[in-house]
Amino acid sequence: MLLQGLIAQVGIHKIPIIIADGGSTDGTRKIIQHYSSYKVLDITLIDGGTPSEGRNKGLELVKTDGVLFLDADIKFWKDDTLLRSWELLNDGYGLVSCKLKGYDRDWKINFGFWVWNWVHKALIKWYPFAVGGFFMTRTQHFAALGGWDERVDNSGDFLASQYFRPDEFKVLHHPVGQDGRRIRKIGWWGMVSHLIKNFWKFHQEGKSWFYKKSRYWG
């Protein structure tokens, strides 16, 4: 779904894609072999690890001025999402992200994403928060800032977003679709309470809070 969505994106030519495989068992490598035949894609497969480890390994290989980190379950609702995001980056923003929209038919899942977008908007003036599922920034600048902190147990996307001031951050109006597995796991109220707790603990303890083992990933 993600690779098919990238093929459909307009205004983007020969997209270089680095896929960090953290030991998936869902036929990822066979899927990649299939899509490698598409001339609009330039796919490199690397061994991943944790999300932060995989992203940093990929970051080391990026040769383009801008870099976009995507989760494998992302779905594009608009075929100009990448183009519009790149335009915002060229307008002077340092970090660009999107709103989230579930592609499940479960109203509880969709309500959970609606709550997330509301919380996101409410906090944006104080805490930039580009979700790891769609995190676009300048390659060399982000690498110089430190990239992804591999010591964190969860919310690495939130911490990486704190490199940027609120006025450097922009949320594209286009939403991107994401699977609701995390909301199913802990419930939408559990998700909201998890986010609020992390914001509060970050304010009290700083980054060290995120180095503690959580139950977020099971």
Side-chain angles (χ1 to χ4, degrees):
M1 179 170 55
L2 173 60
L3 294 177
Q4 190 63 47
L6 289 172
I7 290 172
Q9 292 296 299
V10 299
I12 305 294
H13 305 286
K14 196 62 175 180
I15 305 172
I17 299 171
I18 301 169
I19 298 177
D21 184 7
S24 61
T25 58
D26 59 356
T28 294
R29 292 178 183 269
K30 288 185 178 180
I31 295 172
I32 293 171
Q33 289 176 356
H34 170 73
Y35 279 100
S36 293
S37 62
Y38 286 78
K39 295 182 179 180
V40 294
L41 302 180
D42 178 11
I43 300 176
T44 300
L45 178 64
I46 63 173
D47 292 327
T50 66
S52 292
E53 289 170 348
R55 290 167 181 169
N56 279 336
K57 289 178 181 179
L59 181 63
E60 293 176 359
L61 302 177
V62 176
K63 304 299 182 183
T64 53
D65 183 34
V67 59
L68 171 62
F69 298 95
L70 292 166
D71 283 347
D73 62 349
I74 288 296
K75 177 179 181 178
F76 293 104
W77 299 104
K78 299 282 188 178
D79 61 8
D80 62 345
T81 299
L82 294 192
L83 178 61
R84 299 307 173 203
S85 299
W86 179 245
E87 289 174 345
L88 288 172
L89 209 63
N90 285 329
D91 283 342
Y93 291 101
L95 180 60
V96 179
S97 192
C98 288
K99 296 186 295 183
L100 298 178
K101 178 181 177 181
Y103 45 76
D104 298 275
R105 294 187 177 182
D106 187 336
W107 71 267
K108 294 180 181 179
I109 299 296
N110 291 322
F111 181 71
F113 281 115
W114 179 86
V115 172
W116 154 249
N117 288 327
W118 182 86
V119 172
H120 195 199
K121 184 176 181 180
L123 294 173
I124 199 171
K125 292 183 179 180
W126 298 277
Y127 294 102
F129 191 169
V131 294
F134 193 101
F135 190 109
M136 179 181 282
T137 187
R138 296 287 181 182
T139 306
Q140 294 302 319
H141 181 59
F142 184 63
L145 290 172
W148 300 89
D149 193 333
E150 297 179 12
R151 296 168 293 177
V152 302
D153 178 66
N154 71 94
S155 301
D157 46 4
F158 170 72
L159 289 179
S161 299
Q162 302 317 299
Y163 291 138
F164 302 88
R165 302 188 311 270
D167 62 324
E168 295 178 301
F169 177 50
K170 185 69 174 179
V171 177
L172 186 69
H173 182 68
H174 293 349
V176 294
Q178 192 165 42
D179 182 79
R181 66 187 185 281
R182 295 176 190 172
I183 298 177
R184 288 193 196 93
K185 178 181 176 183
I186 63 176
W188 64 265
W189 177 245
M191 178 67 75
V192 172
S193 61
H194 170 80
L195 292 170
I196 293 175
K197 182 178 182 180
N198 277 351
F199 277 115
W200 177 251
K201 288 294 187 177
F202 177 70
H203 181 71
Q204 288 185 317
E205 302 181 26
K207 291 180 65 174
S208 62
W209 162 252
F210 297 97
Y211 300 150
K212 300 175 182 179
K213 183 66 177 177
S214 74
R215 297 180 180 178
Y216 185 66
W217 298 109

